[in-house]
Amino acid sequence: MTRVHRVHRVHRVSGSSVIAKGRLRVSASGTAAAGQVEHMLRQVTPGRYDAYEALLRALAADQLWMLLWHGQAGSPDAQYGNMEVEGLGYAPCVTSAQELSASGWNRSYEVVSGIDISRTLYPDHYGLWLNPHAPGGGVGIPWLDLRRIASGLDLLPAGPLRLTEPSIEIPQFYALLTQNAHRTPAVRSLRRTWVQPALGAPYLAIGLDVYDTSPASVDGVRTMMQQSIAAVPDGLPVSTVAMSDAYDPVAMWLRANARPFYDREAQPAPVASSGYGYPPPYGAAPRSR
């Protein structure tokens, strides 16, 4: 069983910031409702995924004071500081003007909305580190969770995700999906995994590897899934993920760990009477801008 790593625990931070790559975006929004973020920060402890999720929601509606290692707010050469914790990169920030004063930061800063900074940082695999000067070292928000803030927290599953090979037996669905995939020229291969979010119900995820993403191909893949989903038992949630998504943790796990159960280039056309399963071994099984 594999757990997609997400650092959200309280750490003591050591070391100084260094210059980070990437331009900055400044929010023109008004005053911050920083009290809610700071209230939720006090609730976050290891294993309290509900409190951590509430913190993400507060960040999505709030703004942050980003610490500038170089340049002034709004200048083309402005750069955030960065720090590394457990091999992951973070940009340090504080959650209010009061925390900025308490931090002793004597360089420039700028105020950015939580959504804007999430959109800026996650493509480069940088997270946020909130109040690193605070007792206990502050709280880290990894880039995977910034991606959720940027995309919509209700649209992506709450991590850390537990990803495994599905154990549920649904041969009719896999057989029908395999047949329909073979009739859909855009589909190269299909993978699968069982996803257990930190919050919410588990579900079956189907990884879609396609030759192209033209409107006709997208429509064909959508029709394939609609025709196949009727074979899924009632109450079993099924989702899809694009294997080409360099930032999706489910797609990353599938690329690294799952052999295709349908591979157009490695197996003959399926027949209706066959069951499902992995093709015979045919070779080795089986990013930031």
Side-chain angles (χ1 to χ4, degrees):
M1 182 173 296
T2 301
R3 182 181 292 268
V4 173
H5 181 62
R6 180 179 74 178
V7 179
H8 65 273
R9 299 177 294 278
V10 176
H11 290 274
R12 171 67 64 183
V13 181
S14 60
S16 58
S17 297
V18 296
I19 295 176
K21 297 187 294 183
R23 296 264 178 106
L24 308 178
R25 296 182 58 187
V26 183
S27 170
S29 58
T31 59
Q36 183 64 19
V37 171
E38 291 174 359
H39 171 72
M40 294 316 306
L41 270 175
R42 291 191 290 270
Q43 311 304 312
V44 172
T45 57
R48 281 289 310 276
Y49 298 127
D50 56 336
Y52 181 78
E53 190 73 5
L55 173 61
L56 297 184
R57 293 188 181 280
L59 288 171
D62 207 341
Q63 56 189 19
L64 297 166
W65 281 248
M66 300 301 301
L67 308 181
L68 296 181
W69 182 258
H70 179 76
Q72 301 296 313
S75 66
D77 62 343
Q79 293 178 323
Y80 296 129
N82 74 47
M83 53 195 291
E84 184 174 303
V85 178
E86 296 185 2
L88 300 176
Y90 298 86
C93 65
V94 295
T95 53
S96 66
Q98 291 78 12
E99 291 295 339
L100 180 67
S101 177
S103 73
W105 185 254
N106 58 10
R107 301 192 184 200
S108 190
Y109 66 91
E110 55 188 12
V111 181
V112 185
S113 76
I115 288 181
D116 275 353
I117 192 60
S118 296
R119 290 170 178 163
T120 297
L121 291 178
Y122 94 76
D124 291 320
H125 290 191
Y126 274 93
L128 280 170
W129 202 279
L130 310 178
N131 296 342
H133 64 283
V139 173
I141 311 294
W143 69 267
L144 283 170
D145 291 321
L146 297 190
R147 175 178 177 266
R148 291 187 63 226
I149 291 174
S151 303
L153 289 169
D154 293 330
L155 301 179
L156 298 173
L161 307 178
R162 297 169 67 89
L163 301 168
T164 61
E165 168 66 23
S167 60
I168 187 168
E169 295 293 334
I170 45 175
Q172 294 85 359
F173 169 63
Y174 289 129
L176 182 58
L177 180 57
T178 296
Q179 294 161 29
N180 288 332
H182 193 76
R183 300 188 187 109
T184 307
V187 176
R188 176 188 285 114
S189 65
L190 301 173
R191 291 173 169 85
R192 60 195 171 197
T193 184
W194 186 251
V195 183
Q196 174 64 71
L199 299 172
Y203 61 93
L204 176 68
I206 302 296
L208 304 172
D209 182 15
V210 299
Y211 289 105
D212 68 84
T213 55
S214 65
S217 294
V218 171
D219 287 343
V221 172
R222 182 182 298 112
T223 298
M224 175 194 75
M225 292 304 303
Q226 290 172 343
Q227 292 174 342
S228 304
I229 208 72
V232 174
D234 290 342
L236 176 62
V238 177
S239 181
T240 59
V241 60
M243 293 299 297
S244 60
D245 190 336
Y247 302 105
D248 191 288
V250 176
M252 290 190 290
W253 187 91
L254 286 169
R255 287 194 296 269
N257 298 281
R259 180 194 289 181
F261 67 90
Y262 169 74
D263 190 333
R264 183 181 302 276
E265 299 170 3
Q267 64 184 27
V271 293
S273 60
S274 66
Y276 74 97
Y278 293 118
Y282 58 89
R287 111 184 202 131
S288 110
R289 300 187 314 248

